[in-house]
Structure formats: C-alpha cells, structure tokens
Amino acid sequence: SSGINAEYGWKSNAMTRCEDYRSHPIHKLSDHKPATLNKTELNFDGVKYMEAQEQPVTLHNTGSDMFEFEFIPKLGDRSCCLPWLQIEPKRGIVDAGKIVIINMMVWIDNNSLHTIESDMKLDEILVLHLVNGKDYFISISGYLVPTGFGRPIVELVRLREPIRKQNILVDIEQAEEEKTDLNKPPLLNIPKELWRIMDYLLHYALEEEDLFLTGGSNMDIGAVRDAIDTNEPIRVSSVHSVAEALILFLNSFSEPVIPYEHYPICLEHCTHFTNSRRILKSINVAHRNVFKYVCAFLRELLEHSEVNKSDAKTLSQIFGEVLLKPYLPEIAAKSTFKKRSLFVYQFLVNDYDE
C-alpha cells in the first residue's frame, strides 16, 4: 500500500505542477493541425552514475498541415529541462501525416550529479510547445541508484557500510548533523571508496606505463562504481579504467579535496613548501587526509618511474586540476592551472609527514 500511496502522491504532485505551468499564456491549436504523443509519462528507475538510460517519445502529426514544435522553459526557469536530462531534438518541424521520434536520455555526470536532491529522486515536467498551438506536458520520474560518487568527503568518512547496503537517508541525516562539528573525529580516516580504488592501483598498476594518460572503458568504470558502492571485488579488463575512475571520484566531490575557502591561499604559496604544509594543517582533517593519501600514492608511483615512465610534473598537472578547484570558473585559467600544479608538485618531490 505504501508503494501505491507513493505513486498516487507523485501523480498528484505532477498534476498540480502541470496546472501551475498551464497558467502561462498559450495559443490554441487549430483543429486542422492535431498532434498526438504516444506517451506523456516516462519513468527512469535505477539510473546509475555515468550510465545512460534512454526512452523515445513519438510526436505524430495527424493533421493536414505541417507544424513546428519546441521544448520551452517553464516560468522562472532558464532551460527547458534539468541538467541530468538530454532531449534530442529540442525543436523541429513535422510534416502532415509524419512522425518525429524525440529521444529522452538521463545522464548523470559530475556536472549534473549535484543538482539531484539527497533522496535520489528524479522529477521533471517538460513543456512541449507547438508554435501557434497548444502546450503538451511530459512527466519525467525515476531515481538514481545510491553511489559514493558526488558525496561530500565529510559524509563518506562517517559511513562505514557500503552505500547501497544501508539506510542512506538516515545515515546522511546523521552525517549532516556531525559534519558541523569538525572537531569530532570521523569514523574513517579516508572514504572507504577511495581506499578501495587506490588499493587496487597499488596492487596492479605501479608498473603500468601512461597511467592517468590512457583512458578506460565505460563498462569497466561502471564496474568500479558498482564494486565500491557494494563492497564487491573490483573486476576490470584494464587498470587504466580504475585510474580514470579515481580521477572521476576525486573530481565528483561537491567540495573539492582542497576546500574552496583555502584555494586562494594555496595558489599564493604554491612554490613555498613550508607555507603549503602550514596551510594544509589548517583544513578539515578528512579533506587533509584525502590529500595526503593521494600524494603518498603518487610518490609511490614515482618510486617505480624507471618502469612506468611517470614523472612528477605530469602527475602534478593532472591532479592539480582535480584536487584544487575554484568555486567559480576563472578568466585566467592558464596562470591558475600552473599554480595548482605547483602546489601539488611540492608534495610529490618532498616527504610530507605531520
């Protein structure tokens, strides 16, 4: 009965939203230009991070004249849909008696991940407008399978169990309460998901050439995601996929490894190791531990440089972009890219131990 109530509640909410959207001025479609949609409700259940789900919608011109269509923003919105949804085509012309297939694709990447609420629900209403005609409403619903990707570091270090094997809403609420007390020790030194990925690389990738320069496969990256979210063994065809998964994971945090508030001073002292160490000591312990652990792994990789051909400059450039990020995009991207690299470089060529 709870499922029925939930479904009824969602439909009621969707209907209310539709009524709200219909309040903006629209033109009536003339009788000789009728259009039909084969479906107006789409459900995307079990969407996974970095794994596309697609569904087609057929728009049929059953009249005697052509018409033009486009997806338009709702009142107060700047875009016709949320970032996790891609529509193709967004506009077009349908000749009399013809159909056009509109593809709806849900794609959760690092850019769209943080637009999804903590309950992991996907909920959107699309407005399909016929030029000089009426508006049609398409309801999109679904949910994102819980994942460690995209969650704040301070939450992950307070979750002992795999993210798919716990009451995530209860645990995240507890983590929200705890993260305000930065003096309270976390349950873990670093996120277990990060440890799993880097432990795999330490075992199987230290002698691999072009690590972090060669891309992996989407299937393998999905396998890494599923493994760390369920605490199952990582099984992939290439270590390069695990290396790419590490970059994606570090890049997915809503707050970067070096928190935004410390970003300017890190760039200011990027060539002074003593000052850089002092800055690092001032940041939250969970973020500091992640930075230290990543740099320790990279130093270990450099210990095998005769075999894997790695070098500190290249690694600092790759990880400088991931570990230090500005809150807003910068105009002088080249100058800050160099400073971010230099900050990381200091910790790759010098021993660091508190």
Side-chain angles (χ1 to χ4, degrees):
S1 61
S2 59
I4 295 174
N5 291 335
E7 182 179 0
Y8 177 78
W10 175 85
K11 288 183 177 179
S12 298
N13 183 48
M15 291 298 291
T16 301
R17 291 175 65 183
C18 284
E19 291 301 323
D20 291 339
Y21 303 148
R22 288 193 179 99
S23 63
H24 67 274
I26 59 175
H27 299 284
K28 296 299 181 184
L29 182 66
S30 57
D31 292 336
H32 64 283
K33 288 184 180 180
T36 59
L37 288 166
N38 69 325
K39 60 178 104 171
T40 56
E41 293 184 3
L42 283 75
N43 185 263
F44 293 86
D45 276 345
V47 176
K48 292 183 176 180
Y49 169 80
M50 297 289 285
E51 192 170 299
Q53 272 200 34
E54 301 179 67
Q55 290 190 43
V57 173
T58 301
L59 176 61
H60 187 192
N61 184 346
T62 58
S64 57
D65 292 324
M66 58 170 278
F67 62 70
E68 184 179 353
F69 74 90
E70 63 176 331
F71 286 89
I72 62 174
K74 299 181 289 292
L75 284 177
D77 289 350
R78 302 179 70 176
S79 176
C80 67
C81 63
L82 291 168
W84 46 262
L85 182 64
Q86 298 179 27
I87 306 169
E88 183 61 37
K90 290 184 177 180
R91 60 181 61 86
I93 295 174
V94 187
D95 291 326
K98 301 296 184 180
I99 66 171
V100 63
I101 297 176
I102 303 169
N103 190 56
M104 306 287 183
M105 183 176 77
V106 174
W107 172 253
I108 313 295
D109 59 11
N110 286 342
N111 293 324
S112 60
L113 191 60
H114 304 300
T115 66
I116 300 172
E117 299 295 333
S118 60
D119 61 6
M120 300 289 115
K121 289 182 180 179
L122 306 174
D123 186 18
E124 176 66 300
I125 302 286
L126 304 176
V127 182
L128 175 60
H129 174 68
L130 302 186
V131 177
N132 296 322
K134 71 173 185 177
D135 290 351
Y136 291 83
F137 298 89
I138 301 174
S139 301
I140 308 291
S141 65
Y143 70 89
L144 172 66
V145 174
T147 180
F149 283 84
R151 294 200 177 277
I153 293 172
V154 291
E155 288 182 3
L156 290 174
V157 294
R158 287 171 168 81
L159 301 176
R160 283 192 182 278
E161 296 299 317
I163 208 151
R164 292 194 206 165
K165 295 184 178 180
Q166 60 189 333
N167 186 339
I168 191 65
L169 292 179
V170 172
D171 289 327
I172 290 302
E173 285 176 2
Q174 291 173 347
E176 285 287 342
E177 293 174 0
E178 292 177 359
K179 75 178 182 180
T180 57
D181 182 7
L182 299 181
N183 295 317
K184 186 175 182 179
L187 298 173
L188 306 169
N189 288 327
I190 62 170
K192 58 192 174 300
E193 296 83 0
L194 177 63
W195 183 88
R196 291 283 313 285
I197 294 173
M198 298 185 72
D199 184 63
Y200 185 96
L201 293 174
L202 283 168
H203 279 87
Y204 302 108
L206 287 181
E207 297 185 353
E208 188 74 22
E209 290 188 30
D210 295 328
L211 202 64
F212 304 112
L213 297 174
T214 301
S217 74
N218 289 336
M219 183 176 294
D220 273 355
I221 292 170
V224 175
R225 174 205 60 219
D226 290 343
I228 65 174
D229 287 341
T230 59
N231 201 30
E232 295 295 326
I234 295 176
R235 295 187 177 92
V236 294
S237 60
S238 170
V239 294
H240 294 288
S241 299
V242 184
E244 186 173 348
L246 173 61
I247 297 295
L248 284 170
F249 186 73
L250 292 171
N251 213 17
S252 73
F253 300 134
S254 54
E255 179 88 9
V257 175
I258 298 296
Y260 291 125
E261 63 177 302
H262 297 276
Y263 175 79
I265 194 170
C266 287
L267 298 193
E268 184 180 344
H269 297 279
C270 63
T271 59
H272 197 295
F273 184 56
T274 301
N275 288 350
S276 296
R277 288 180 59 179
R278 188 178 301 114
I279 295 165
L280 198 60
K281 284 185 178 182
S282 68
I283 73 173
N284 170 269
V285 63
H287 284 252
R288 182 166 73 248
N289 284 342
V290 168
F291 184 88
K292 287 170 54 182
Y293 193 74
V294 171
C295 289
F297 163 74
L298 296 177
R299 288 197 301 271
E300 182 67 22
L301 198 63
L302 290 168
E303 289 290 327
H304 297 76
S305 60
E306 289 188 7
V307 179
N308 62 37
K309 312 301 182 186
S310 61
D311 67 90
K313 181 180 178 181
T314 301
L315 291 175
S316 64
Q317 288 174 343
I318 294 170
F319 283 84
E321 284 195 281
V322 175
L323 300 176
L324 295 93
K325 294 191 292 185
Y327 186 71
L328 296 172
E330 301 156 300
I331 298 175
K334 288 186 178 180
S335 64
T336 58
F337 171 78
K338 183 177 181 180
K339 290 180 179 180
R340 284 182 278 175
S341 300
L342 286 171
F343 183 84
V344 174
Y345 183 82
Q346 298 297 320
F347 293 90
L348 301 190
V349 296
N350 295 290
D351 288 331
Y352 174 64
D353 187 3
E354 295 180 353

